[in-house]
Amino acid sequence: IASHEFIIESVNENLMAGNHMSRRASYMYGNVLPKSPEGTVGSGLGTTTSGGTLTIMEPTTEISKTPTELTIDGVKMVFMYTPRAEAPSELMFYMPEKKAMCQAEEINHTLHNLLTLRGAQVRNGLLWSKYIHQTIEMFGDEVEVSFGSHHWPTWDNDKIVDYWKKQRDLYRYIHDEVLRLANHGSTLLEVGDEVVLPDSLAKSFANRGYYGSVNHNAKAQYQLYFGYFTGNPADLHPLPPAAAGKKFIEYIGGADAVIEKANADFDKGEYRWAATALKYAVFADPDNQKAKDLLADTYEQMGYQAESGPWRNFYLSGASELRNGVKKGVTVNTSSPDIVRNLGMETYLDYLAVRLNHPKAADKQFTLNVTLPDKKEKFVIYVENGVMNYTLGKHEKEATTSITLDRTVLDDINLGQTSIDQAITEGKVTDEGDTTAFGEFVALLDQFEFWFDIVTP
């Protein structure tokens, strides 16, 4: 049982953007940091993530409206469909006979993320608050226990309703205050510093920023409505980090001058600006170990001061990589075989289109008819103008080549578990027409390197 479009949203997040997202997640969850007072002490939402391979199952029942009532193993459940809050597709449910609410991750014992630092779609604080308000309206009079995905249950009706109301008002306050400030002219970086919760919300344990933070959640709501651009023309087309770093160093009089001034700011505890200045020095010259070491020291101090687990892990992961380089560790493989083999064909082909090396394909033009006998499916792939398009359920009469293979074989080729030549030799692939076209197409598909640089160019 899952929420409407659960598979689509799970795959889109974990596969389409998964390599970049998972690399950043290795910072957010401190996967390569030691478990120690100087390393990671958890993610703020819990301890940390598991490593290994993700799996997924196709739901047999989808929930797409509130309320939806089902009886499961004799237990009556009332489901609430809550998309675009904590996740693009999500649900909560209430068990009337037990007076028990499964709040999923819409209600937590911490401030959650309106934009997770690993990267994802921005979440809507207004919708989030409205779902909690709806929960209060539907079940607040009778609920006796409220439990979630990560944290301990809350007992007693009065305590639960107070807890729910403060969580509701937490997200509503951040959302509404950002829009109020933005309508007065505040921009993305400004709202992060300007939004301050009232004590009635800020001093509630469940609203503290152990996971999300008011600062980056406020910026997320600005991004939700206005995007990354502040409206200032100087921010419209700035230089990328490495080029900006070289110009910054040139303007300020060389790397030694930056390091000297940053040292003084470090000694005064002005870490935010020291980090900004030293970032330019490192991107201008990634071999300047003195700048990298001072930036690492700065990140460590910012990490030790952070209340949010992800903030701490980001700072300390950055410090570790500045000192030691990229260290491969245990992380989740979001492009796992189980994920790939369970993709619907439309999402599968969209993923191949993302992997197409578009500049290399710019002068290519071919049409591939594909038949999957084991799935009783067929489709046509068009490559031209540097992009890949497709149409399900048809073939073209004038195709460059026509390929027949089982979906399992296509998966094996896509996952690198077999080669095209080997599959043809074993009789698992047959083609008619230009026999080189399918291999040429597969050769245009990029494989993504996971351990790309983050704190250095």
Side-chain angles (χ1 to χ4, degrees):
I1 299 168
S3 50
H4 179 57
E5 296 190 333
F6 164 79
I7 285 285
I8 292 173
E9 295 295 352
S10 298
V11 166
N12 282 350
E13 179 169 297
N14 285 296
L15 192 61
M16 292 295 191
N19 192 69
H20 186 95
M21 188 184 296
S22 297
R23 174 66 172 108
R24 279 169 50 167
S26 73
Y27 269 49
M28 178 173 174
Y29 298 114
N31 294 129
V32 297
L33 294 173
K35 277 63 175 175
S36 72
E38 293 77 31
T40 181
V41 293
S43 73
L45 188 66
T47 50
T48 187
T49 56
S50 61
T53 301
L54 290 176
T55 60
I56 198 165
M57 292 176 65
E58 188 80 28
T60 55
T61 302
E62 282 197 351
I63 307 298
S64 60
K65 65 178 182 178
T66 301
T68 297
E69 295 187 6
L70 296 175
T71 299
I72 303 160
D73 288 342
V75 179
K76 181 180 177 181
M77 297 184 181
V78 181
F79 289 89
M80 300 176 66
Y81 179 48
T82 58
R84 295 174 53 218
E86 190 277 332
S89 174
E90 193 166 17
L91 54 80
M92 300 189 284
F93 63 87
Y94 183 69
M95 294 178 284
E97 295 164 359
K98 302 294 184 182
K99 297 183 179 180
M101 181 70 197
C102 178
Q103 64 206 28
E105 286 192 67
E106 308 291 29
I107 304 170
N108 302 274
H109 287 289
T110 182
L111 170 58
H112 211 296
N113 285 309
L114 292 170
L115 177 63
T116 179
L117 300 183
R118 62 182 165 82
Q121 297 177 38
V122 179
R123 299 156 183 176
N124 189 315
L126 178 60
L127 277 180
W128 200 320
S129 71
K130 287 187 173 182
Y131 291 140
I132 301 176
H133 183 74
Q134 186 179 37
T135 304
I136 296 169
E137 293 286 304
M138 291 176 66
F139 310 117
D141 289 341
E142 62 180 67
V143 64
E144 294 294 341
V145 57
S146 184
F147 63 97
S149 305
H150 290 285
H151 300 138
W152 53 95
T154 302
W155 304 87
D156 184 72
N157 181 267
D158 289 343
K159 290 180 180 178
I160 292 169
V161 173
D162 179 67
Y163 164 45
W164 285 359
K165 285 181 177 179
K166 286 177 179 175
Q167 281 273 288
R168 173 197 66 188
D169 296 345
L170 171 67
Y171 298 109
R172 180 95 198 204
Y173 188 96
I174 293 172
H175 173 276
D176 290 1
E177 178 65 355
V178 165
L179 289 181
R180 186 188 72 84
L181 291 167
N183 282 313
H184 280 297
S186 295
T187 59
L188 186 141
L189 296 182
E190 292 166 338
V191 297
D193 280 3
E194 291 171 356
V195 174
V196 179
L197 296 176
D199 283 353
S200 59
L201 296 177
K203 291 188 176 181
S204 171
F205 179 89
N207 287 356
R208 296 302 303 175
Y210 304 118
Y211 189 52
S213 73
V214 174
N215 184 284
H216 79 255
N217 279 340
K219 295 171 186 171
Q221 296 308 276
Y222 183 95
Q223 180 182 338
L224 176 68
Y225 285 92
F226 307 108
Y228 76 95
F229 179 46
T230 65
N232 187 319
D235 299 329
L236 187 58
H237 194 202
L239 291 172
K246 290 181 172 63
K247 294 302 294 183
F248 180 87
I249 296 303
E250 175 190 330
Y251 269 51
I252 206 166
D256 290 341
V258 173
I259 293 170
E260 180 181 354
K261 291 178 172 65
N263 255 317
D265 283 336
F266 180 90
D267 291 339
K268 290 185 291 184
E270 295 179 2
Y271 304 121
R272 289 173 68 183
W273 178 248
T276 298
L278 290 165
K279 177 194 73 173
Y280 285 122
V282 170
F283 272 80
D285 180 10
D287 295 324
N288 189 327
Q289 194 60 47
K290 191 175 180 180
K292 289 165 71 176
D293 287 342
L294 182 54
L295 181 54
D297 290 341
T298 304
Y299 283 161
E300 282 181 341
Q301 294 306 309
M302 296 173 82
Y304 297 151
Q305 291 182 358
E307 183 173 34
S308 163
W311 281 43
R312 175 189 175 94
N313 290 335
F314 256 90
Y315 285 131
L316 298 187
S317 295
S320 175
E321 288 191 7
L322 285 165
R323 290 201 175 98
N324 307 308
V326 176
K327 293 171 62 178
K328 298 180 179 180
V330 177
T331 59
V332 174
N333 174 15
T334 58
S335 302
S336 70
D338 198 49
I339 294 286
V340 171
R341 293 185 191 281
N342 278 280
L343 295 177
M345 188 49 61
E346 184 173 358
T347 305
Y348 195 107
L349 294 173
D350 285 337
Y351 177 54
L352 293 186
V354 169
R355 288 177 51 201
L356 186 74
N357 188 310
H358 305 97
K360 288 183 179 179
D363 61 350
K364 306 292 184 182
Q365 184 172 351
F366 42 78
T367 302
L368 308 177
N369 286 335
V370 182
T371 302
L372 307 177
D374 58 337
K375 295 294 183 179
K376 296 182 174 59
E377 292 181 328
K378 64 180 180 180
F379 53 88
V380 57
I381 291 174
Y382 309 92
V383 175
E384 61 182 329
N385 300 318
V387 299
M388 172 191 146
N389 289 287
Y390 61 87
T391 303
L392 299 176
K394 68 169 283 188
H395 279 167
E396 291 287 357
K397 291 182 179 179
E398 302 296 330
T400 310
T401 188
S402 295
I403 305 110
T404 301
L405 73 171
D406 282 345
R407 167 67 187 264
T408 55
V409 178
L410 180 63
D411 290 339
D412 289 342
I413 294 171
N414 191 23
L415 291 165
Q417 296 177 356
T418 190
S419 67
I420 298 170
D421 291 341
Q422 182 179 351
I424 292 173
T425 300
E426 294 173 352
K428 295 178 179 179
V429 175
T430 59
D431 56 9
E432 299 175 4
D434 184 347
T435 57
T436 65
F438 185 48
E440 187 177 1
F441 168 70
V442 173
L444 289 170
L445 302 177
D446 278 357
Q447 298 293 337
F448 299 127
E449 169 58 39
F450 183 84
W451 295 102
F452 56 79
D453 294 319
I454 292 178
V455 291
T456 55

